[in-house]
Amino acid sequence: MLISQFNIEELYKEYKDYCLTIAYCLLGSMTDAEDIVQDTFLKIKEHENKDKKITNMKAYINKMIVNRCKNELKSSRKKKEAYIGTWLPEPLLQEFNGEPVENLIQSDQLSYSYMVLMENLSPRERIAYVLRNALGLRHGEIAEILKTSTVNSRKILSRAQIKIGIKSEKDLTINLQKYFIDQFILALNKGDIQKLTNLLSNDVLFTADGGGKVRTAINVIKGKKRVLALITGISKKFFSGKNANVAIINNQLGIVVTENRKIIGAFCFDWDSPTQSINKIFYIVNPDKLKRNPV
């Protein structure tokens, strides 16, 4: 089928969410993902008057999105090296106050903790990992997009999985996660940090991202005692006049912080199933990563 025979507007409606998922997972930024998707469909529209034959439009769009993301990943590495503090992915707020916000393919591989781990991968490893584990593409399809052999595609994915590691246990039940988060919210709002003592693992990690624009811990904080002290400080010095509410972030329960009906922070978590505790806390307060404000 010739590209001129497709209705570009209908294609955009059909594939927009799918394309945004790919671009977001590869880049860790919905803002950049939106730019990539818009640019891709503008390029497709430019080809409307050309006799370009397309046998599989979804695969064609896939390749265009991935190629643009690959270039962006290469250029963004230098930006992250110059970043003030720890760079964390943009949290994707999907539901807040009972209202849907963003769409994302439902996959455990897209949880916030996995998005953080994917920062350890090379661009090719990240592409292989997302296309295979999050989107379920076959190795033949991935190999074509990466311009390599199927055998090499498997090797690239294997390296990625070794770097990330595989969770052998499932997350805590939703009810238990909700209980933990409710206690966390009470601690933030009322300053009763002792409620968190039994919720955190002994070697819990606290990672914050203020981007140099909001004052927060620059280095990763490790250990229950130090993390509790930090949360105490946040509660006492930062939470006056603010509210913390439960939300769905990256397919998991998280916390959104608001002030005057504006989102100013987000907490995401990684759970440790064997000990039924919070293993990692991700605290995002960089305003550039909290631009979406459905409050």
Side-chain angles (χ1 to χ4, degrees):
M1 193 170 179
L2 298 177
I3 198 167
S4 58
Q5 295 175 279
F6 288 96
N7 183 310
I8 306 302
E9 285 72 23
E10 289 300 319
L11 282 176
Y12 181 74
K13 289 179 184 178
E14 182 179 357
Y15 290 113
K16 178 187 174 184
D17 290 341
Y18 177 78
C19 291
L20 282 173
T21 299
I22 297 173
Y24 168 74
C25 292
L26 291 178
L27 302 176
S29 166
M30 183 55 79
T31 304
D32 292 339
E34 288 175 336
D35 291 341
I36 291 286
V37 173
Q38 289 285 348
D39 179 63
T40 297
F41 279 91
L42 284 173
K43 290 295 182 184
I44 293 174
K45 192 166 182 62
E46 288 176 9
H47 295 161
E48 270 186 310
N49 299 323
K50 298 180 180 179
D51 293 332
K52 186 176 181 65
K53 191 174 181 179
I54 306 295
T55 56
N56 185 326
M57 179 53 79
K58 189 174 184 178
Y60 178 72
I61 293 173
N62 252 342
K63 187 177 288 189
M64 290 185 73
I65 292 285
V66 170
N67 283 337
R68 280 163 173 73
C69 287
K70 191 192 300 182
N71 293 333
E72 181 64 26
L73 281 169
K74 290 176 181 177
S75 64
S76 67
R77 287 206 161 193
K78 290 184 179 179
K79 297 177 187 175
K80 291 175 184 177
E81 287 172 2
Y83 197 78
I84 298 175
T86 303
W87 189 96
L88 287 174
E90 179 183 337
L92 189 65
L93 183 58
Q94 293 167 272
E95 186 177 308
F96 187 54
N97 288 336
E99 296 294 327
V101 181
E102 293 276 13
N103 292 321
L104 188 73
I105 291 174
Q106 297 297 313
S107 171
D108 291 340
Q109 306 294 329
L110 307 184
S111 69
Y112 196 81
S113 55
Y114 271 109
M115 292 294 296
V116 173
L117 287 171
M118 280 195 282
E119 288 301 307
N120 298 321
L121 305 181
S122 70
R124 283 166 69 83
E125 288 168 347
R126 186 161 182 157
I127 290 167
Y129 187 87
V130 169
L131 295 183
R132 179 63 178 169
N133 291 321
L135 302 177
L137 268 65
R138 297 187 299 272
H139 278 289
E141 297 171 297
I142 298 170
E144 185 177 349
I145 290 172
L146 290 176
K147 297 179 180 177
T148 188
S149 66
T150 301
V151 171
N152 200 36
S153 169
R154 292 180 186 277
K155 289 180 180 178
I156 294 170
L157 179 62
S158 179
R159 287 199 300 270
Q161 289 175 327
I162 289 170
K163 286 184 181 180
I164 285 183
I166 301 173
K167 284 187 176 183
S168 57
E169 298 89 5
K170 292 184 178 296
D171 276 338
L172 306 186
T173 65
I174 291 295
N175 288 339
L176 195 53
Q177 287 183 39
K178 180 67 165 58
Y179 170 76
F180 276 37
I181 284 178
D182 285 344
Q183 295 303 304
F184 207 98
I185 288 173
L186 280 174
L188 291 171
N189 286 336
K190 297 186 177 181
D192 187 3
I193 304 302
Q194 290 308 309
K195 289 183 179 294
L196 298 181
T197 303
N198 296 326
L199 304 185
L200 306 181
S201 66
N202 290 328
D203 55 354
V204 61
L205 299 176
F206 187 106
T207 307
D209 180 351
K213 299 183 178 183
V214 175
R215 187 178 178 183
T216 190
I218 292 180
N219 300 315
V220 177
I221 307 300
K222 183 176 181 179
K224 183 186 290 190
K225 187 176 180 179
R226 295 183 67 202
V227 169
L228 283 171
L230 178 60
I231 297 174
T232 299
I234 290 172
S235 176
K236 289 182 177 179
K237 298 176 184 178
F238 178 73
F239 253 77
S240 177
K242 301 173 179 66
N243 293 298
N245 299 280
V246 66
I248 304 294
I249 303 174
N250 288 72
N251 293 331
Q252 291 184 316
L253 291 177
I255 296 172
V256 165
V257 181
T258 61
E259 182 180 32
N260 297 325
R261 299 181 60 81
K262 180 182 179 182
I263 295 175
I264 59 169
F267 286 93
C268 299
F269 303 90
D270 181 58
W271 315 97
D272 184 64
S273 296
T275 60
Q276 295 197 330
S277 60
I278 297 173
N279 195 36
K280 296 175 185 175
I281 302 169
F282 304 104
Y283 181 44
I284 306 96
V285 286
N286 182 345
D288 292 340
K289 299 181 180 182
L290 302 166
K291 291 178 180 177
R292 286 165 180 74
N293 190 33
V295 183

